[in-house]
Amino acid sequence: MPARFVRTFLMIVLCSGLSACRTTVPAPVTGTGAREVVAKYFEALALQEWDLAYAQLHIDTQKRLNRAAFERGARAYRNKIGFPLGKVTVRSCDEEGDKAVARVILSDVSGSMKHRYHEGAFLHQSANGWGLVLPGDFGQP
């Protein structure tokens, strides 16, 4: 009986030691609002709701790009795509601290495979929440 007790005790100690060595990778942060901001922004672009799209921009981007300049750039951006925007699909939105990167697919109203445009979006979180950061050449040919 003491031998069985010793074996059981050693088995418990070994199993405990193995589970203590296991490292866990924290799950990616999601659901803090970044995905929703990206969806609102691109849906507003599709509907040409410039005020709503502009409201989704990070405060630093708004300081750099006034509302009128944004609308000109947004119209040029839509023209560059080459088909009328209809459907917005946010494929992913990876957040790390106060930064996030989203991958978006824009398509026409039918969602046709022929008319698809893949886009990436960068976001930064401030005291006001998440906002898109547009590149310095936004809307330029």
Side-chain angles (χ1 to χ4, degrees):
M1 185 143 153
R4 190 169 18 166
F5 175 76
V6 171
R7 277 195 314 256
T8 304
F9 177 76
L10 287 175
M11 190 64 112
I12 291 171
V13 169
L14 286 173
C15 289
S16 298
L18 288 175
S19 65
C21 292
R22 200 177 318 155
T23 59
T24 58
V25 176
V29 178
T30 58
T32 65
R35 181 186 272 293
E36 291 77 10
V37 168
V38 170
K40 275 186 197 177
Y41 174 77
F42 283 103
E43 287 167 4
L45 280 184
L47 297 170
Q48 299 183 51
E49 293 181 0
W50 310 123
D51 289 330
L52 180 58
Y54 189 74
Q56 306 313 307
L57 300 180
H58 188 271
I59 189 71
D60 291 341
T61 298
Q62 289 180 347
K63 288 177 185 175
R64 178 176 50 82
L65 197 63
N66 68 34
R67 167 63 180 71
F70 167 74
E71 184 176 336
R72 283 191 304 275
R75 287 182 187 279
Y77 175 82
R78 284 178 48 93
N79 289 337
K80 179 181 88 170
I81 291 174
F83 58 86
L85 297 178
K87 186 176 177 191
V88 174
T89 304
V90 180
R91 296 285 295 163
S92 65
C93 187
D94 302 321
E95 301 174 24
E96 189 171 322
D98 64 351
K99 295 186 179 9
V101 177
R103 286 173 284 292
V104 181
I105 298 175
L106 307 171
S107 58
D108 63 9
V109 179
S110 70
S112 165
M113 292 295 283
K114 182 179 176 183
H115 293 123
R116 286 194 171 202
Y117 188 82
H118 294 258
E119 184 63 275
F122 298 96
L123 296 94
H124 190 84
Q125 191 173 37
S126 67
N128 298 333
W130 289 101
L132 267 88
V133 178
L134 296 179
D137 63 350
F138 174 74
Q140 296 177 6

